[in-house]
Amino acid sequence: MNNPTIIPLSVPNLSLDILDNVKETIETGWVSTGAGARFVKDFEEKIAKYVGVERAVATQSGTAGLHLALRVLGVEEGDEIIVPTLTFIAAVNPVRYMGAEPVFMDCDDSLNMDMDKLEDFLENQCNFIDGKVINKLTKKQIKVILAVHVFGNPLNMEKLIELRDKYNLKVIEDATEALGSYYLEGKYAGRHCGTIGDIGVYSFNANKIITTGGGGMVVSNNLDFLEKVSFLGAQAKTNPLYFVHDEVGYNYRMTNIQAAFGTDQIDRLESFIETKVRNYELYKEGIKNIEGLQLLGFRKDARANHWFYSIIVDKERYGIDRDRLLKKLNDNNIQTRPLWGLIHKQKPYLDNQGYRLKRAEFYEKNLINVPCSSNLSEEDIEVVTELLRRFGK
Ligand SMILES: *Cc1c(COP(=O)(O)O)cnc(C)c1O
């Protein structure tokens, strides 16, 4: 750890082995994108193989990947997209980039989108006419459900796909936090988060489970979608030689330097997850006897990547509330943070519809995330759990 006195929340776990790759980008001059960016190709192939799909397309960021996903699924200005309110705002902003509007759903106790409320919303708050879902309140068409595997905990894809098919919708899986998570049982046993919906997106931002400094990856079982993602992300060159463009594209490609990090990081992912699972168990053991603290679980019928750890603080039983605990931990050089501010309460989205939002409010108030980097030591965790014990009753 760089500064032995601070235990950070979530930092990259990088190896100097990457320098060989970086050296190659310098020596060959291929630092950017394009045909000679061999690390991009390697990284795409490695991710595709790892999550079990035919092809993956690298992007500049996860956000860019989500933007392209919405575009490829045919979202138009004035459409509505169902999104969770409990997530990082990067999952929702691309909806607005498209001129579309989000409709916010609540979470359940897994922190993922509440499928019962989603079903209730589609059944009772929408009309289903000529294969289209029309929101009764706004009269707008809902085209896509964008769901997030929050903190790497796999969401209920069986139910989500059932609803998608029933209502002729499309599903984008925001798997930016869930690389390495897959189902062990049920219809999707063996399938990775991100590979079940129409399009899935991963992120390699610095706080994610593996990093390229910044970057993303789009996957799909529909190769036409991926071809379109690749095309639009590279300025939509209809004729690359004569620079003919029939559509408005983006500069959303991953650079060879980013991918030079990625090809090394992906090889270490399984070992990162091993450490994250071990550390999670240490936290669990460490706080199990602390009155008023509860470590949130991950799905038992899946191999979750255990990206982030969440603790719920019961003020009455623990003695102090979440915000006091947060401050005390940060004052003691333990980097902890609250849950994201719910998105339906953020200024750009105050006028958007939210449906029966309730559990999310509870978690927003009472949850903290504790240090979870894959390079945390057992001693680090002892330090944190010891403080958690001391600050309680
Ligand atoms: C990190 C994250 C993103 C965005 O990924 P970037 O690569 O940072 O653009 C989107 N959605 C969620 C839920 C995230 O956690």
Side-chain angles (χ1 to χ4, degrees), residues 195-253:
T195 68
I196 298 163
D198 295 280
I199 299 186
V201 179
Y202 303 106
S203 163
F204 315 110
N205 188 38
N207 66 341
K208 299 302 202 277
I209 195 156
I210 64 169
T211 187
T212 57
M217 192 75 74
V218 181
V219 295
S220 175
N221 294 303
N222 183 326
L223 295 179
D224 292 339
F225 287 166
L226 291 181
E227 194 48 43
K228 194 88 203 271
V229 164
S230 167
F231 174 73
L232 290 172
Q235 305 287 21
K237 288 192 189 102
T238 306
N239 184 323
L241 181 60
Y242 290 96
F243 287 87
V244 178
H245 309 263
D246 296 330
E247 283 185 81
V248 176
Y250 311 87
N251 181 11
Y252 275 176
R253 280 180 298 181

Coordinates of all heavy atoms in Angstrom, one line a residue, residues 195-253:
T195 N -24.1 -11.3 -20.3 CA -24.2 -12.1 -21.6 C -25.6 -12.6 -21.8 O -25.8 -13.4 -22.7 CB -23.2 -13.2 -21.6 OG1 -23.6 -14.2 -20.6 CG2 -21.8 -12.8 -21.3
I196 N -26.6 -12.2 -21.0 CA -27.9 -12.8 -21.1 C -28.9 -11.9 -21.8 O -29.7 -12.3 -22.6 CB -28.3 -13.3 -19.7 CG1 -27.4 -14.3 -19.2 CG2 -29.8 -13.8 -19.7 CD1 -27.5 -14.6 -17.7
G197 N -28.8 -10.6 -21.4 CA -29.7 -9.7 -22.1 C -29.4 -9.4 -23.5 O -28.5 -10.1 -24.1
D198 N -30.0 -8.4 -24.1 CA -29.7 -8.1 -25.5 C -28.3 -7.6 -25.7 O -27.6 -7.9 -26.7 CB -30.7 -7.1 -26.1 CG -32.1 -7.7 -26.1 OD1 -32.4 -8.5 -27.0 OD2 -32.9 -7.5 -25.1
I199 N -27.9 -6.7 -24.8 CA -26.5 -6.2 -24.8 C -26.0 -6.0 -23.4 O -26.8 -5.7 -22.5 CB -26.5 -4.8 -25.5 CG1 -27.0 -4.9 -27.0 CG2 -25.0 -4.2 -25.5 CD1 -26.8 -3.6 -27.8
G200 N -24.7 -6.3 -23.2 CA -24.2 -6.2 -21.8 C -22.9 -5.3 -21.9 O -22.3 -5.2 -22.9
V201 N -22.7 -4.6 -20.8 CA -21.5 -3.6 -20.8 C -20.7 -3.8 -19.6 O -21.2 -3.9 -18.4 CB -22.1 -2.2 -20.9 CG1 -20.9 -1.2 -20.9 CG2 -22.9 -1.9 -22.1
Y202 N -19.4 -3.8 -19.7 CA -18.4 -3.9 -18.6 C -17.6 -2.6 -18.6 O -17.6 -1.8 -19.5 CB -17.4 -5.1 -18.8 CG -18.1 -6.4 -18.9 CD1 -18.2 -7.1 -20.1 CD2 -18.7 -7.0 -17.8 CE1 -18.8 -8.3 -20.3 CE2 -19.4 -8.2 -17.9 CZ -19.4 -8.9 -19.2 OH -20.0 -10.1 -19.3
S203 N -17.1 -2.3 -17.4 CA -16.2 -1.1 -17.2 C -14.9 -1.5 -16.7 O -14.8 -2.4 -15.8 CB -16.9 -0.1 -16.3 OG -16.0 0.9 -15.9
F204 N -13.9 -0.7 -17.1 CA -12.5 -0.9 -16.5 C -12.0 0.4 -16.0 O -10.8 0.7 -16.0 CB -11.6 -1.5 -17.6 CG -12.2 -2.6 -18.4 CD1 -12.5 -2.4 -19.7 CD2 -12.4 -3.8 -17.8 CE1 -13.1 -3.4 -20.4 CE2 -13.0 -4.8 -18.5 CZ -13.4 -4.7 -19.8
N205 N -12.9 1.2 -15.4 CA -12.5 2.4 -14.6 C -11.6 1.9 -13.5 O -11.6 0.8 -13.1 CB -13.8 3.0 -14.1 CG -13.5 4.4 -13.5 OD1 -12.7 5.1 -14.0 ND2 -14.2 4.7 -12.5
A206 N -10.9 2.9 -12.9 CA -9.9 2.6 -11.9 C -10.4 1.9 -10.7 O -9.7 1.1 -10.0 CB -9.1 3.8 -11.5
N207 N -11.7 2.1 -10.3 CA -12.2 1.5 -9.1 C -12.9 0.1 -9.4 O -13.3 -0.5 -8.4 CB -13.2 2.4 -8.4 CG -14.4 2.7 -9.2 OD1 -14.5 2.4 -10.4 ND2 -15.5 3.1 -8.6
K208 N -13.0 -0.3 -10.6 CA -13.6 -1.5 -10.9 C -12.7 -2.7 -10.6 O -11.5 -2.5 -10.3 CB -14.1 -1.5 -12.4 CG -15.1 -0.4 -12.7 CD -16.4 -0.5 -11.9 CE -17.6 0.2 -12.5 NZ -17.6 1.7 -12.3
I209 N -13.2 -3.9 -10.8 CA -12.5 -5.1 -10.4 C -11.2 -5.3 -11.2 O -10.2 -5.8 -10.6 CB -13.4 -6.4 -10.3 CG1 -12.7 -7.4 -9.5 CG2 -13.8 -6.8 -11.7 CD1 -13.7 -8.4 -8.9
I210 N -11.2 -5.0 -12.4 CA -10.0 -4.8 -13.2 C -10.0 -3.5 -13.9 O -11.1 -3.0 -14.1 CB -9.7 -6.0 -14.2 CG1 -10.7 -6.0 -15.3 CG2 -9.5 -7.3 -13.5 CD1 -10.3 -6.9 -16.5
T211 N -8.8 -3.0 -14.2 CA -8.8 -1.6 -14.8 C -7.9 -1.4 -15.9 O -6.8 -2.1 -16.0 CB -8.5 -0.6 -13.7 OG1 -8.7 0.7 -14.2 CG2 -7.1 -0.7 -13.2
T212 N -8.3 -0.5 -16.8 CA -7.4 -0.1 -17.9 C -7.2 1.4 -17.8 O -6.9 2.1 -18.7 CB -8.0 -0.4 -19.3 OG1 -9.3 0.2 -19.3 CG2 -8.2 -1.9 -19.5
G213 N -7.3 1.9 -16.5 CA -7.3 3.4 -16.3 C -8.7 3.9 -16.6 O -9.2 4.7 -15.8
G214 N -9.2 3.6 -17.7 CA -10.6 3.9 -18.0 C -10.9 3.1 -19.3 O -10.0 2.9 -20.1
G215 N -12.1 2.6 -19.4 CA -12.4 1.8 -20.6 C -13.7 1.0 -20.3 O -14.2 0.9 -19.2
G216 N -14.2 0.4 -21.4 CA -15.4 -0.4 -21.3 C -15.4 -1.5 -22.4 O -14.5 -1.6 -23.2
M217 N -16.3 -2.4 -22.3 CA -16.5 -3.5 -23.3 C -17.9 -3.8 -23.4 O -18.7 -3.9 -22.5 CB -15.7 -4.7 -22.7 CG -15.5 -5.8 -23.7 SD -14.2 -5.5 -25.0 CE -12.7 -5.7 -24.0
V218 N -18.3 -4.0 -24.7 CA -19.7 -4.3 -25.0 C -19.8 -5.7 -25.5 O -19.0 -6.1 -26.3 CB -20.3 -3.3 -26.1 CG1 -21.8 -3.7 -26.4 CG2 -20.2 -1.9 -25.6
V219 N -20.7 -6.5 -25.0 CA -20.9 -7.9 -25.4 C -22.4 -8.1 -25.8 O -23.3 -7.4 -25.3 CB -20.5 -8.9 -24.4 CG1 -19.0 -8.9 -24.1 CG2 -21.3 -8.8 -23.1
S220 N -22.6 -9.1 -26.6 CA -23.9 -9.4 -27.1 C -23.9 -10.8 -27.8 O -22.8 -11.1 -28.3 CB -24.5 -8.4 -28.0 OG -25.8 -8.8 -28.5
N221 N -25.0 -11.5 -27.8 CA -25.1 -12.7 -28.6 C -25.5 -12.4 -30.0 O -25.5 -13.2 -30.9 CB -26.0 -13.7 -27.9 CG -25.3 -14.2 -26.6 OD1 -24.2 -14.7 -26.6 ND2 -26.1 -14.0 -25.5
N222 N -25.9 -11.1 -30.2 CA -26.3 -10.6 -31.5 C -25.2 -9.9 -32.2 O -24.8 -8.8 -31.8 CB -27.5 -9.7 -31.3 CG -28.1 -9.2 -32.7 OD1 -27.3 -9.0 -33.6 ND2 -29.4 -9.0 -32.7
L223 N -24.6 -10.6 -33.1 CA -23.3 -10.1 -33.7 C -23.6 -8.8 -34.6 O -22.7 -8.0 -34.7 CB -22.6 -11.2 -34.6 CG -22.1 -12.3 -33.8 CD1 -21.5 -13.4 -34.7 CD2 -21.1 -11.9 -32.7
D224 N -24.8 -8.7 -35.1 CA -25.2 -7.5 -35.8 C -25.1 -6.2 -34.9 O -24.7 -5.2 -35.3 CB -26.6 -7.5 -36.4 CG -26.6 -8.6 -37.5 OD1 -25.5 -8.9 -38.1 OD2 -27.7 -9.1 -37.9
F225 N -25.6 -6.4 -33.7 CA -25.5 -5.3 -32.7 C -24.1 -4.9 -32.5 O -23.7 -3.7 -32.4 CB -26.1 -5.7 -31.3 CG -27.6 -5.9 -31.3 CD1 -28.3 -6.5 -30.3 CD2 -28.4 -5.3 -32.3 CE1 -29.7 -6.6 -30.2 CE2 -29.8 -5.4 -32.3 CZ -30.4 -6.1 -31.2
L226 N -23.2 -5.9 -32.3 CA -21.8 -5.6 -32.0 C -21.1 -4.9 -33.2 O -20.3 -4.0 -33.0 CB -21.1 -6.9 -31.6 CG -21.5 -7.5 -30.3 CD1 -20.7 -8.7 -30.0 CD2 -21.3 -6.5 -29.2
E227 N -21.5 -5.4 -34.4 CA -20.9 -4.7 -35.6 C -21.3 -3.2 -35.6 O -20.5 -2.4 -35.9 CB -21.5 -5.5 -36.8 CG -20.7 -5.1 -38.1 CD -19.2 -5.2 -38.0 OE1 -18.7 -6.1 -37.4 OE2 -18.5 -4.3 -38.5
K228 N -22.6 -3.0 -35.2 CA -23.1 -1.6 -35.2 C -22.4 -0.8 -34.1 O -22.0 0.4 -34.3 CB -24.6 -1.7 -35.0 CG -25.3 -0.4 -35.2 CD -25.7 -0.2 -36.7 CE -26.0 1.2 -37.1 NZ -27.3 1.7 -36.9
V229 N -22.1 -1.4 -32.9 CA -21.4 -0.8 -31.8 C -20.0 -0.4 -32.3 O -19.6 0.8 -32.1 CB -21.3 -1.7 -30.6 CG1 -20.3 -1.2 -29.6 CG2 -22.7 -1.8 -29.9
S230 N -19.4 -1.3 -33.0 CA -18.0 -1.1 -33.4 C -18.0 0.1 -34.5 O -17.2 1.0 -34.5 CB -17.5 -2.4 -34.0 OG -16.3 -2.2 -34.8
F231 N -19.0 0.0 -35.4 CA -19.1 1.0 -36.5 C -19.4 2.4 -35.9 O -18.7 3.4 -36.2 CB -20.3 0.5 -37.4 CG -20.7 1.5 -38.5 CD1 -19.9 1.7 -39.6 CD2 -21.8 2.2 -38.4 CE1 -20.2 2.5 -40.6 CE2 -22.2 3.1 -39.4 CZ -21.4 3.2 -40.5
L232 N -20.4 2.5 -35.0 CA -20.7 3.8 -34.5 C -19.6 4.4 -33.6 O -19.4 5.6 -33.5 CB -22.0 3.8 -33.7 CG -23.3 3.5 -34.6 CD1 -24.5 3.3 -33.7 CD2 -23.6 4.8 -35.5
G233 N -18.9 3.5 -32.9 CA -17.9 3.9 -32.0 C -16.7 4.4 -32.7 O -15.8 5.1 -32.0
A234 N -16.6 4.2 -33.9 CA -15.4 4.6 -34.7 C -15.8 5.6 -35.8 O -15.3 5.5 -36.9 CB -14.7 3.4 -35.3
Q235 N -16.6 6.5 -35.4 CA -17.1 7.6 -36.3 C -17.9 7.2 -37.5 O -18.0 8.0 -38.5 CB -15.9 8.5 -36.8 CG -15.0 9.0 -35.7 CD -15.6 10.2 -34.9 OE1 -16.8 10.4 -34.9 NE2 -14.8 10.9 -34.2
A236 N -18.5 6.0 -37.5 CA -19.4 5.6 -38.5 C -18.8 5.8 -39.9 O -19.4 6.4 -40.8 CB -20.7 6.3 -38.4
K237 N -17.7 5.2 -40.1 CA -17.1 5.3 -41.5 C -17.7 4.3 -42.4 O -17.4 3.1 -42.4 CB -15.6 5.0 -41.4 CG -14.8 6.1 -40.7 CD -13.2 5.8 -40.9 CE -12.4 6.7 -40.1 NZ -11.8 6.1 -38.9
T238 N -18.5 4.7 -43.3 CA -19.1 3.8 -44.3 C -18.1 3.4 -45.3 O -18.0 2.3 -45.8 CB -20.3 4.6 -45.0 OG1 -21.2 5.0 -44.0 CG2 -21.0 3.6 -45.9
N239 N -17.2 4.4 -45.7 CA -16.1 4.0 -46.5 C -14.9 4.6 -45.9 O -14.6 5.8 -46.0 CB -16.3 4.6 -48.0 CG -15.1 4.2 -48.9 OD1 -14.0 4.1 -48.4 ND2 -15.4 3.9 -50.1
P240 N -14.1 3.8 -45.2 CA -12.9 4.3 -44.5 C -11.8 5.0 -45.3 O -11.2 5.9 -44.9 CB -12.4 3.1 -43.8 CG -13.3 1.9 -44.0 CD -14.2 2.3 -45.2
L241 N -11.7 4.5 -46.6 CA -10.7 5.1 -47.4 C -11.0 6.5 -47.9 O -10.2 7.4 -47.8 CB -10.4 4.2 -48.6 CG -9.3 4.6 -49.6 CD1 -8.0 4.7 -48.9 CD2 -9.2 3.7 -50.8
Y242 N -12.3 6.6 -48.3 CA -12.7 7.9 -48.8 C -13.4 8.8 -47.8 O -14.0 9.8 -48.1 CB -13.6 7.7 -50.1 CG -12.7 7.3 -51.3 CD1 -12.7 5.9 -51.6 CD2 -12.0 8.1 -52.0 CE1 -11.9 5.4 -52.6 CE2 -11.2 7.7 -53.1 CZ -11.1 6.3 -53.4 OH -10.3 5.9 -54.4
F243 N -13.5 8.3 -46.6 CA -14.1 9.0 -45.5 C -15.6 9.4 -45.8 O -15.9 10.6 -45.8 CB -13.3 10.3 -45.1 CG -12.0 9.9 -44.4 CD1 -10.9 9.7 -45.1 CD2 -12.0 9.9 -43.0 CE1 -9.7 9.3 -44.4 CE2 -10.8 9.5 -42.3 CZ -9.7 9.2 -43.0
V244 N -16.3 8.4 -46.1 CA -17.8 8.6 -46.3 C -18.5 8.2 -45.0 O -18.2 7.1 -44.5 CB -18.3 7.7 -47.5 CG1 -19.8 7.9 -47.6 CG2 -17.5 8.1 -48.7
H245 N -19.4 9.0 -44.5 CA -20.1 8.8 -43.3 C -21.6 9.0 -43.6 O -22.0 10.1 -43.9 CB -19.7 9.7 -42.2 CG -18.2 9.7 -42.0 ND1 -17.5 9.0 -41.0 CD2 -17.2 10.4 -42.6 CE1 -16.2 9.2 -41.1 NE2 -16.0 10.0 -42.1
D246 N -22.4 7.9 -43.4 CA -23.8 8.0 -43.6 C -24.6 8.2 -42.3 O -25.8 8.4 -42.3 CB -24.4 6.8 -44.3 CG -23.8 6.7 -45.7 OD1 -23.4 7.7 -46.3 OD2 -23.6 5.5 -46.2
E247 N -23.9 8.2 -41.2 CA -24.6 8.3 -39.9 C -23.6 9.1 -39.0 O -22.4 9.2 -39.2 CB -24.8 7.0 -39.2 CG -26.0 6.2 -39.8 CD -26.2 4.9 -39.0 OE1 -26.8 5.0 -37.9 OE2 -25.8 3.9 -39.4
V248 N -24.2 9.7 -37.9 CA -23.4 10.4 -36.9 C -22.8 9.4 -36.0 O -23.5 8.7 -35.3 CB -24.2 11.4 -36.2 CG1 -23.3 12.1 -35.1 CG2 -24.7 12.5 -37.1
G249 N -21.5 9.3 -35.9 CA -20.8 8.3 -35.0 C -20.1 9.0 -33.9 O -20.3 10.2 -33.6
Y250 N -19.3 8.3 -33.2 CA -18.6 8.8 -32.0 C -17.2 8.4 -32.0 O -16.8 7.4 -32.6 CB -19.3 8.3 -30.7 CG -20.8 8.4 -30.7 CD1 -21.6 7.4 -31.2 CD2 -21.4 9.5 -30.1 CE1 -22.9 7.5 -31.2 CE2 -22.8 9.5 -30.1 CZ -23.5 8.5 -30.6 OH -24.9 8.6 -30.6
N251 N -16.4 9.1 -31.2 CA -15.0 8.6 -31.0 C -15.0 7.9 -29.7 O -14.6 8.4 -28.6 CB -14.0 9.8 -31.0 CG -12.6 9.3 -30.8 OD1 -12.3 8.1 -30.9 ND2 -11.7 10.2 -30.5
Y252 N -15.4 6.6 -29.7 CA -15.6 5.9 -28.4 C -14.7 4.6 -28.4 O -15.0 3.7 -27.6 CB -17.1 5.4 -28.3 CG -18.0 6.4 -27.7 CD1 -19.4 6.2 -27.7 CD2 -17.6 7.6 -27.2 CE1 -20.3 7.1 -27.1 CE2 -18.5 8.5 -26.6 CZ -19.8 8.3 -26.6 OH -20.7 9.2 -26.0
R253 N -13.7 4.6 -29.2 CA -12.9 3.4 -29.2 C -11.9 3.4 -28.0 O -11.4 4.4 -27.6 CB -12.1 3.3 -30.5 CG -12.9 2.8 -31.7 CD -12.1 2.7 -32.9 NE -11.7 4.0 -33.4 CZ -10.9 4.2 -34.4 NH1 -10.6 3.2 -35.2 NH2 -10.6 5.5 -34.8

